[in-house]
Amino acid sequence: MNNTPMLEVKDLTKHFKAGRGQVVHAVDHVNFTLEKGKTLGLVGESGCGKSSCARTIIRIYDPTEGQILLDGQDITHMKQRELKPLRRKMQMIFQDPYASLNARMTVRDIIAEPLLAHGIVKTKEQSNEYVYPMLERVGLTKEHANRYAHEFSGGQRQRVGIARALVLQPELVICDEPISALDVSIQAQVINLLKDFQEERGVSYLFIAHDLSMVRYVSDDVGVMYLGQLVEVCESDEIYRNPLHPYTKGLLGSIPIANPRQAREKEKSSIEGDIPSPISPPAGCRFHTRCPFAKPVCSERAPELKDVGAGHMVACHLYQ
Ligand code: SF4
């Protein structure tokens, strides 16, 4: 394995036109690096831009600005035709296993489709050689191959989604809230399956989730996004032990915990109010409208994402 990062995202920006000349600032100048065989968790409330960021990286959306390097190769402006061979290297698992699988296709056809599209097999019959072992690997059986996705539970469907993404042996998998729609009892099974694949194949994951408790077990590093920007990035353990950004502290305060005394303490740091519109994000620090520690400078000047020691990056005037 060489030392080139699996994914480098530099100043990535994605704006959408919203009619009447308005612009949605979905992703603004996001920077991060994902090393090979590692997992970066990307967290934030819904509407913070994490899914737009993931979809821009995988080039479902064209970036407005910035650069995306996949294993050192600049894919920022590649045409879809040039991207096609690289799609083998980079796959996505979607949040909603009900919506992301074609209801008119059998499970075999769903998993075989990318194998046929990339010319790995020429016929559906040949694809069985890949499809059957893959089904078993995700905890399903050969007998499931001829069934349709709607015949399965949510957890089984997500296993089919994982099988489809991993059958190409990708090096990077973008997991867009892969467990959010699943029962809590199934979430751990899916996470363990993803972790097992990582150990076996050295696959890298960009793991999107809306709360920090979901990424704790799976991530090496965690990035916290707020209104299109990264506000804190550090090692996973560090973010739970020593969260710095008031927004991160608020997110941690919103994780349900069993001990009532600890729960009351945590409640004090919960975030109040709604996330502002990304059409006209607040000036300065975008979190200042909800931050209990906001100072005059916070509404005037945007804090930079800076290393405050041992690779712990935070964008907040309290630390600058
Ligand atoms: Fe709060 Fe100011 Fe820090 Fe923003 S920069 S998080 S408003 S203290």
Side-chain angles (χ1 to χ4, degrees):
M1 205 184 273
N2 66 37
N3 291 329
T4 309
M6 189 68 243
L7 178 67
E8 281 178 278
V9 169
K10 298 180 181 176
D11 271 329
L12 189 67
T13 298
K14 178 64 193 171
H15 292 168
F16 296 98
K17 289 194 179 121
R20 282 185 272 148
Q22 292 182 316
V23 172
V24 177
H25 297 248
V27 182
D28 259 334
H29 300 285
V30 163
N31 290 280
F32 64 78
T33 299
L34 171 59
E35 303 297 340
K36 290 194 171 109
K38 301 285 185 190
T39 299
L40 172 69
L42 210 52
V43 278
E45 290 162 289
S46 89
C48 74
K50 54 195 190 303
S51 288
S52 295
C53 186
R55 284 160 193 250
T56 308
I57 290 167
I58 206 161
R59 294 289 320 279
I60 293 173
Y61 303 145
D62 286 331
T64 305
E65 271 178 49
Q67 199 179 27
I68 307 158
L69 300 175
L70 178 69
D71 200 7
Q73 193 171 3
D74 190 342
I75 64 163
T76 321
H77 301 295
M78 274 189 181
K79 306 253 178 294
Q80 290 303 326
R81 173 175 39 82
E82 296 169 289
L83 277 170
K84 193 181 168 196
L86 293 172
R87 296 238 175 260
R88 241 187 113 165
K89 229 172 169 170
M90 174 170 70
Q91 286 288 303
M92 189 149 179
I93 298 169
F94 293 90
Q95 175 180 1
D96 186 353
Y98 291 84
S100 62
L101 303 178
N102 189 328
R104 289 190 297 274
M105 289 169 82
T106 63
V107 162
R108 179 212 321 276
D109 292 349
I110 288 169
I111 301 172
E113 194 179 45
L115 294 165
L116 289 159
H118 286 275
I120 295 163
V121 296
K122 297 275 177 284
T123 65
K124 280 187 192 174
E125 288 64 40
Q126 284 175 3
S127 73
N128 290 341
E129 194 185 314
Y130 293 82
V131 173
Y132 292 156
M134 198 65 215
L135 277 175
E136 299 210 350
R137 188 61 199 75
V138 299
L140 298 170
T141 66
K142 201 172 156 179
E143 284 65 47
H144 288 117
N146 291 323
R147 298 213 215 145
Y148 292 85
H150 69 263
E151 297 175 55
F152 293 98
S153 66
Q156 285 175 319
R157 284 185 209 213
Q158 196 53 295
R159 286 168 191 272
V160 175
I162 291 171
R164 180 185 158 90
L166 294 176
V167 75
L168 291 172
Q169 306 224 351
E171 292 167 43
L172 169 66
V173 179
I174 297 186
C175 308
D176 188 7
E177 304 221 31
I179 56 171
S180 304
L182 304 179
D183 288 346
V184 175
S185 57
I186 310 292
Q187 288 181 349
Q189 293 174 17
V190 171
I191 291 284
N192 286 335
L193 185 59
L194 291 170
K195 281 181 79 85
D196 289 348
F197 274 111
Q198 187 165 54
E199 274 167 32
E200 284 165 29
R201 302 180 180 183
V203 55
S204 313
Y205 294 125
L206 180 63
F207 193 98
I208 315 278
H210 60 261
D211 79 54
L212 276 159
S213 62
M214 281 195 189
V215 297
R216 181 167 203 166
Y217 180 60
V218 80
S219 304
D220 297 284
D221 296 305
V222 172
V224 179
M225 275 189 86
Y226 184 75
L227 214 48
Q229 298 179 323
L230 266 179
V231 297
E232 187 159 8
V233 189
C234 63
E235 285 181 3
S236 181
D237 288 346
E238 170 76 359
I239 209 139
Y240 296 96
R241 204 175 38 227
N242 182 30
L244 297 179
H245 198 281
Y247 179 61
T248 311
K249 290 180 180 178
L251 281 183
L252 283 165
S254 66
I255 296 173
I257 49 174
N259 181 319
R261 206 169 62 109
Q262 280 180 7
R264 271 196 302 279
E265 282 301 303
K266 286 200 175 249
E267 248 171 43
K268 288 182 195 159
S269 60
S270 293
I271 312 156
E272 293 195 349
D274 293 326
I275 193 164
S277 165
I279 290 178
S280 48
C285 170
R286 291 185 178 180
F287 189 56
H288 82 258
T289 55
R290 301 168 80 191
C291 179
F293 308 102
K295 318 183 269 186
V297 67
C298 300
S299 52
E300 291 159 12
R301 196 158 44 82
E304 282 176 42
L305 188 67
K306 280 194 178 159
D307 189 339
V308 292
H312 192 148
M313 313 277 291
V314 64
C316 174
H317 288 305
L318 296 176
Y319 306 96
Q320 293 179 7

